[in-house]
Amino acid sequence: MRRRQFLKTAVTGMTGVAGVTGVSAMSALILSACDRQQAAATAAAAAPPLSSPPQASALALASAGEIPKVIRVGAMGSWGATVAADFMGILQSQKLLEKEFEKDGTRIEWNVIDGAGPAQNEAIANGLIDFGHYGALPNIIGKARGLKTRILASYGYVNSYLAVRTALPVKSPADLKGYRLAADIGHINHLTTAMLLKQYNIDLKDVTLVKLGDAEALAALAAGQVDAYLGGLSLFALEDQGIVRIIYSARGDRSRASNFGGFVAVEQFAGRYPEATRRVLKSYIRATHWIAEPENREAYFDWVVKNSTTPLRMVQRDFDGQALRDRVNPVIGDDYLSRYREGIAFCLKNDLIRNPVDVDHWIDRSTNESVIAELGLQQFWGDSKKIASAASAGFSVPSASFVSSPIGRSV
């Protein structure tokens, strides 16, 4: 309750900022998101440690070609939404899975989950979904803590933007030492924030990380409770209102500060239904290919605007100068594997996990390559095997000293 009151005070105070418009709508969005995050935090606090449902016995395993009666797909979406966000929303809206399994009589059950990666980890742990789609850091944390998952494809990368309060004399990420940074601990933003700091030779111990979710970070920036935040295109609205300046963006390149993650299968399902798993992956890659085709660019933007609260101008700005095929890329390449190894090293150094994860056994590169070849798309995204990562060598991140958020527990 104290956290919601803080947010209410923060967003109400934004009405005094010169040039601010549409504050009531922004306030409603931030407060609504806060309520959802608080509910998720309460549920998470009562949840048991992560572990996958019991594996099926050998006698119960289906033959390789057997098809399940239902396939349960988890995907991120806004509170109360029935349509998933981003790539999974195209997969759902175009009914690619339903068409793929129509002759088999298989029902596709969509679970649109508010709460991002940790919420999907909980859904997997409770046996509620067979497939998920979320960021690398919760992928890694879930796997290391006992979730039996298999990564089938990349979801490409998502631009990140570093915003600082307008009044601060910060001109680049190199100037962040001694400042307060919001970070969504345990989410992909946590990892990318550390990667950005490392890129500018700043240790986590040189800044103060404040545990905040995305909606809380926006409100805290407006209220002066934090100094900077590495987030997504929602920061454009605060910049337009003069509340923040965006001093860095991971646009147009595969910066270590860009978000990345995976399309994930539950091992119990993938082991029991390997052919069905392959067909699900094929449908997912078809969806990403449709988005990545240049002639579908405007249609995809229109779909995003129709199925979200994001204005078209913000979507266009986020993708400006970028080919969709460079961002919407399901290929598992060398660079993708190296980024997961970096993420695992980060989690171990910062005590987010205790057990290492074997990337080569966890990420199913062979099936990914086979399905892309079957669809004749080997050259569409280029030869990922030639992409090497220089940034992964000798990766080391010091343990961080986190402070509790004045708003409350992060989720």
Side-chain angles (χ1 to χ4, degrees), residues 109-132:
E109 181 180 295
W110 283 90
N111 294 276
V112 180
I113 301 170
D114 178 60
Q120 291 197 54
N121 276 343
E122 291 295 334
I124 292 171
N126 290 314
L128 300 178
I129 58 176
D130 305 310
F131 295 89

Side-chain angles (χ1 to χ4, degrees), residues 98-221:
E98 287 81 355
K99 293 172 183 175
E100 175 67 32
F101 290 94
E102 183 177 7
K103 293 181 179 179
D104 302 292
T106 298
R107 179 169 57 88
I108 307 301
E109 181 180 295
W110 283 90
N111 294 276
V112 180
I113 301 170
D114 178 60
Q120 291 197 54
N121 276 343
E122 291 295 334
I124 292 171
N126 290 314
L128 300 178
I129 58 176
D130 305 310
F131 295 89
H133 187 259
Y134 55 105
L137 197 65
N139 282 167
I140 293 166
I141 292 172
K143 182 69 172 179
R145 293 182 180 179
L147 291 186
K148 299 185 185 304
T149 57
R150 182 186 306 177
I151 295 179
L152 301 177
S154 166
Y155 69 40
Y157 70 97
V158 180
N159 293 334
S160 294
Y161 302 92
L162 178 65
V164 299
R165 291 192 295 112
T166 302
L168 297 178
V170 177
K171 296 182 179 180
S172 86
D175 301 325
L176 288 173
K177 286 185 178 181
Y179 285 99
R180 301 164 299 173
L181 275 67
D184 205 354
I185 307 303
H187 292 245
I188 183 62
N189 156 267
H190 183 193
L191 174 60
T192 54
T193 296
M195 289 297 186
L196 176 62
L197 294 175
K198 179 176 180 288
Q199 182 177 331
Y200 285 85
N201 299 314
I202 299 176
D203 290 335
L204 285 176
K205 65 184 179 182
D206 295 327
V207 301
T208 299
L209 288 188
V210 182
K211 301 179 182 180
L212 294 172
D214 184 70
E216 296 169 329
L218 297 177
L221 274 172

Side-chain angles (χ1 to χ4, degrees), residues 62-67 272-276 279:
S63 63
E66 186 174 341
I67 304 300
R272 183 170 183 174
Y273 303 110
E275 182 58 31
R279 289 167 63 185

Side-chain angles (χ1 to χ4, degrees), residues 12-23:
T12 300
M14 290 165 58
T15 57
V17 178
V20 173
T21 58
V23 171

